[in-house]
Amino acid sequence: MTFVKALHVLSAVMLIGPLMSAPFVGRRAIARRSADGVRAAANQMSFYGLGSILTALLGVLTVSASGGKVKFGDPWVIISSTLYVVALGLVFFYAVPALRKAANMVAEGVLEATPDTAALTATGGDLQLKERLDAITGRVYGAGIVVLLAFALITLLMTIRPF
């Protein structure tokens, strides 16, 4: 069990850490108007989100191999599992699609980050697109905060085991 638990913790560090940083990387790339950077952040979230399933499977294996010391019915296991599902739902059904949409908008040229004469004479449509991009940026940031808090709470529950 110790070896499986070590693999579970190692995979959490190596896979969940980059997953939690991706929304913030995407937010900075949107601010820089780097479509490639935004796409890279979306791909990072997808890749490490899928990779985090390995961490979950190792967690299931750790509980199974615990010899009854830890049970799937323990409240902290149930809460951690629920938070994990919520975090992955946010990643795959909210943040990644928003980042991909933002990458497309940036690639289409939604008002450049540095003001020049063309940006100063923006049309109403340009301003609406910029407002939409700003809204997406806020949603990605908010989703990133919720995912970060979910994984922080999962870590605390697995460390402290309060129930």
Side-chain angles (χ1 to χ4, degrees):
M1 176 174 126
T2 305
F3 180 69
V4 176
K5 188 188 248 182
L7 285 177
H8 174 63
V9 171
L10 183 63
S11 70
V13 170
M14 300 299 286
L15 298 171
I16 305 289
L19 172 65
M20 291 187 303
S21 70
F24 307 108
V25 171
R27 181 175 180 243
R28 284 193 307 266
I30 292 170
R32 288 190 319 267
R33 301 297 192 260
S34 169
D36 290 337
V38 179
R39 278 190 203 95
N43 291 338
Q44 178 182 343
M45 276 193 96
S46 293
F47 178 79
Y48 287 106
L50 288 173
S52 75
I53 295 171
L54 174 66
T55 303
L57 292 175
L58 287 169
V60 168
L61 191 59
T62 301
V63 171
S64 298
S66 72
K69 287 173 44 179
V70 179
K71 298 175 196 74
F72 289 106
D74 289 349
W76 70 269
V77 174
I78 294 170
I79 294 168
S80 296
S81 300
T82 303
L83 286 170
Y84 174 74
V85 170
V86 168
L88 272 193
L90 269 173
V91 165
F92 286 116
F93 301 112
Y94 195 72
V96 170
L99 282 170
R100 289 191 174 134
K101 185 174 186 176
N104 290 337
M105 291 175 73
V106 169
E108 291 172 5
V110 177
L111 294 179
E112 296 301 318
T114 57
D116 59 4
T117 55
L120 294 175
T121 59
T123 65
D126 290 338
L127 294 176
Q128 285 179 336
L129 285 174
K130 184 177 180 329
E131 286 176 8
R132 284 182 46 214
L133 184 61
D134 290 344
I136 290 172
T137 303
R139 289 197 317 256
V140 167
Y141 182 71
I145 293 289
V146 172
V147 167
L148 178 78
L149 290 174
F151 281 115
L153 190 54
I154 290 168
T155 302
L156 287 174
L157 286 170
M158 291 187 178
T159 304
I160 298 170
R161 299 181 186 177
F163 308 110

